[in-house]
Amino acid sequence: MPLDLAVLVFDLLGTFAFAISGALLAVQKGFDVVGSLLLASLTGLGGGVIRDLLLDQGVPNAFAEPLYLVPVVLAVLIVLVGLVHEGRLHRTLLVFDALGLATFCVMGATIAHTAGLNPVAAVLLGVTTAVGGGAMRDVVANRVPQIVDPDGVYATPTFLGAGLAVLLLELELFGAPAAVAVALLVFAARLLAVVRGWRLPLASMR
Amino acid sequence: MPLDLAVLVFDLLGTFAFAISGALLAVQKGFDVVGSLLLASLTGLGGGVIRDLLLDQGVPNAFAEPLYLVPVVLAVLIVLVGLVHEGRLHRTLLVFDALGLATFCVMGATIAHTAGLNPVAAVLLGVTTAVGGGAMRDVVANRVPQIVDPDGVYATPTFLGAGLAVLLLELELFGAPAAVAVALLVFAARLLAVVRGWRLPLASMR
Amino acid sequence: MPLDLAVLVFDLLGTFAFAISGALLAVQKGFDVVGSLLLASLTGLGGGVIRDLLLDQGVPNAFAEPLYLVPVVLAVLIVLVGLVHEGRLHRTLLVFDALGLATFCVMGATIAHTAGLNPVAAVLLGVTTAVGGGAMRDVVANRVPQIVDPDGVYATPTFLGAGLAVLLLELELFGAPAAVAVALLVFAARLLAVVRGWRLPLASMR
């Protein structure tokens, strides 16, 4: 699979996963179906739109390519009819959010690196792409964003994922298989952090 | 009236209407006059700034053209001296917000279409322009944005308005009279939704 | 000191001050160290990123120049080990926030003016740069932004600072000494407003 196509497939998959998380939160909050569509769009497309705005290369993909609406609408429908729903352990949203994080940190870093940014900037853009949509979802739904919630290691795996992706890109070892492997690693790290209750040190040692 | 001038007049009118809604919310929240000016600016200019950022065509109009400050300052003054104030039914804010929605969905779609975006993207940009400023107003004032509040059909009329505007543009039937007609339709639909208590299906059928 | 270098030094200083305020808020909210890093980045770099997005001149400095990460990481570490901490009067955060406001309103206006914007737009961009990062900090930490909090004159000194900077630029009297003087004036005005409990008129006279 050529890298262009792989990037597109990955980006659509991440969009779908984040859109599911947005639609699930819409159900929790009692939103109607259009509110769900807007929250799913913001979550699924938001990170990529921020990435494209920062790269300053014309109209963001999410607006220029109607194809990006397909995973969003699909996610809203799937949640609407109840094919995916929040379980008793409240972890369905977390799993889809983790899948979005995993794909978007790799994709954001790859797209930024391909656009010619320096490695550090590419890592930062990968992290921003990964956490941006979820942060806007949480702000609009009026809850403290998971990025700053100490109950769980959230952004750290995306630093690892974006860092690894950029390292492999610099070493010219990157391709679709490497992207999948790094994304799976991030996904596993995020889920393990939730299941095992991993914590990081607090912001103050006092 | 040439389309350029009509676009400007419409854009200033929508800015004024949204700025009034921001200034009214500032009064409700007990903000001071500079807080009111900032909230009115964010609401009145926010949607257009997001639109211009997404279109990636230089400095957004709201910053490049000092003329856009006139409706914002006017709105703050009008609310300050009490010429427009929130009534017992709490609907003054809703009416001005509806007027902003109606003008901005048509203008956003028109400007995006004129900038060469495909029809689907133009509709999305129209909706984003219409709901963006109000969403930022509500987030900054720390309440759940109306876009996701199930108590009332909010974003749906803007999809209709932006869709109709793009359809008429594609058919080359668009002009100032059509823009006014579509905006009035959106305005009426939004107000009817509030008055009649229209609801959409919830985000989950379970 | 040439103006380019002065701009960079000022920008890094403002970033550091705002990042300290973000890291202090992270401690108050009980965030972990990565949450603190994200909130410090958002606060320290957010205003400049918004400024650069609005100026539409390529990738924002905060992403393109890894140097901007130094003050952010430094701020998080300093707060982590407790070298700077919130006092009993809860004013440490306010002081660093005021320092950020003071430097960023001058820098934002200067950069916008140098980029060729008209004087009014340059003032607005200065204010936006100054209040943008703090507003995002407060929204993400789920509190009403200080920009609209009536308990204290917050944005007004940045209008004065940006206005003075643009006036001096227009008169060709601007340089590093003038920038320092204007920033000190804004800093003093903001702190006096807090200490003296200055208030502005409310948004409604009714």
Side-chain angles (χ1 to χ4, degrees), chain C residues 39-70:
Chain C
L39 199 62
S41 306
L42 196 67
T43 317
L45 306 173
V49 168
I50 295 176
R51 176 197 67 211
D52 293 350
L53 284 177
L54 292 170
L55 288 176
D56 197 18
Q57 297 186 320
V59 178
N61 285 342
F63 283 85
E65 295 288 344
L67 186 60
Y68 278 85
L69 300 177
V70 176

Side-chain angles (χ1 to χ4, degrees), chain B residues 173-200:
Chain B
L173 295 170
F174 196 74
V180 172
V182 175
L184 284 177
L185 200 68
V186 174
F187 183 62
R190 168 63 184 147
L191 289 191
L192 272 172
V194 172
V195 172
R196 297 278 175 92
W198 287 345
R199 293 286 178 283
L200 288 172

